[in-house]
Amino acid sequence: MKRWKNLFGVLSVAILLAAGKGAMAKPVLCSPGYQDSTCGSPVSHAAIPQTQCSAGAGWTTLSPAVWQGAQWSAPQCSYTAPPTCQAGYSQTASPWWTGSSWVGISCAPPPPPSTDDQDPFGYCSPRLAQPGYTMGAPLRLTSWPEVVSGLQNSPYNGQLIYAWYMSGPTYSLSCKDSNLYVGACYFSSADHHFLGAQISQGEGGQGGNCAH
């Protein structure tokens, strides 16, 4: 009887050792080399902000970014440069961006081009200044300046004339002497540039009119 008890004990130990070896030989689930789809650890991170167009002046969004499951698509953006004044104009007020368009620019036109007859007296007086002659009052018949007419053989016919009474050396008329002259400056009727100047006798003007 004692022998059977000893034999039973030996068999029990053998069975336990065999079971332990079998348990140790089986791979542990999700250990390296023994993984399946249930073993993945979920990965989480902060929310990814939507991609935006620049917030700077001149930028607008044509089409916003779209979430594509793992990332944002690129937004469609448009840039409009600030307006400028046209050539020759000066800017008096800067444009500002409303968020959708530029407004507020102000431009001033260029000053009119300077012309030779802008200051008739200042321009003509040195050109009529000759020894022995003195400029007097402007000679205005109908307008200032007048248009030369009736001088078919003159290069100044049809051009503008500014004239002044002048005094100078005495000359003889048929009935008396006179020192009256007329100083004239001629300018182009097209662009007002200076054409020429001359001094001529008054020919019966003030102080030279012979009445009988």
Side-chain angles (χ1 to χ4, degrees):
M1 186 70 175
K2 184 176 180 181
R3 181 185 300 175
W4 286 107
K5 289 182 178 180
N6 291 337
L7 180 60
F8 180 77
V10 172
L11 290 174
S12 298
V13 172
I15 292 172
L16 289 174
L17 289 174
K21 289 182 178 179
M24 293 178 63
K26 185 178 180 181
V28 178
L29 183 62
C30 296
S31 63
Y34 189 71
Q35 297 180 349
D36 59 21
S37 60
T38 65
C39 297
S41 300
V43 178
S44 63
H45 52 72
I48 301 174
Q50 185 184 29
T51 307
Q52 304 287 337
C53 295
S54 171
W59 286 97
T60 54
T61 301
L62 300 179
S63 178
V66 177
W67 181 249
Q68 297 177 327
Q71 63 183 6
W72 291 98
S73 66
Q76 299 299 309
C77 308
S78 175
Y79 176 72
T80 303
T84 58
C85 296
Q86 60 179 297
Y89 281 60
S90 57
Q91 183 174 301
T92 57
S94 300
W96 54 278
W97 181 248
T98 65
S100 59
S101 62
W102 292 99
V103 297
I105 189 172
S106 179
C107 305
S114 177
T115 59
D116 292 343
D117 64 345
Q118 193 168 0
D119 176 15
F121 181 81
Y123 195 90
C124 293
S125 57
R127 289 162 175 77
L128 294 173
Q130 297 185 24
Y133 293 87
T134 303
M135 289 184 68
L139 174 57
R140 294 184 175 92
L141 298 180
T142 57
S143 62
W144 181 261
E146 295 186 62
V147 177
V148 179
S149 60
L151 303 179
Q152 299 301 324
N153 296 323
S154 171
Y156 302 133
N157 193 51
Q159 307 302 330
L160 303 178
I161 178 175
Y162 291 87
W164 289 265
Y165 291 112
M166 298 186 69
S167 60
T170 300
Y171 58 92
S172 296
L173 296 174
S174 58
C175 58
K176 61 180 300 184
D177 293 338
S178 176
N179 68 342
L180 177 66
Y181 292 81
V182 173
C185 261
Y186 300 94
F187 295 86
S188 167
S189 58
D191 59 12
H192 295 250
H193 73 269
F194 178 70
L195 297 176
Q198 66 180 21
I199 298 175
S200 58
Q201 293 181 358
E203 298 180 358
Q206 292 181 359
N209 184 20
C210 297
H212 297 282

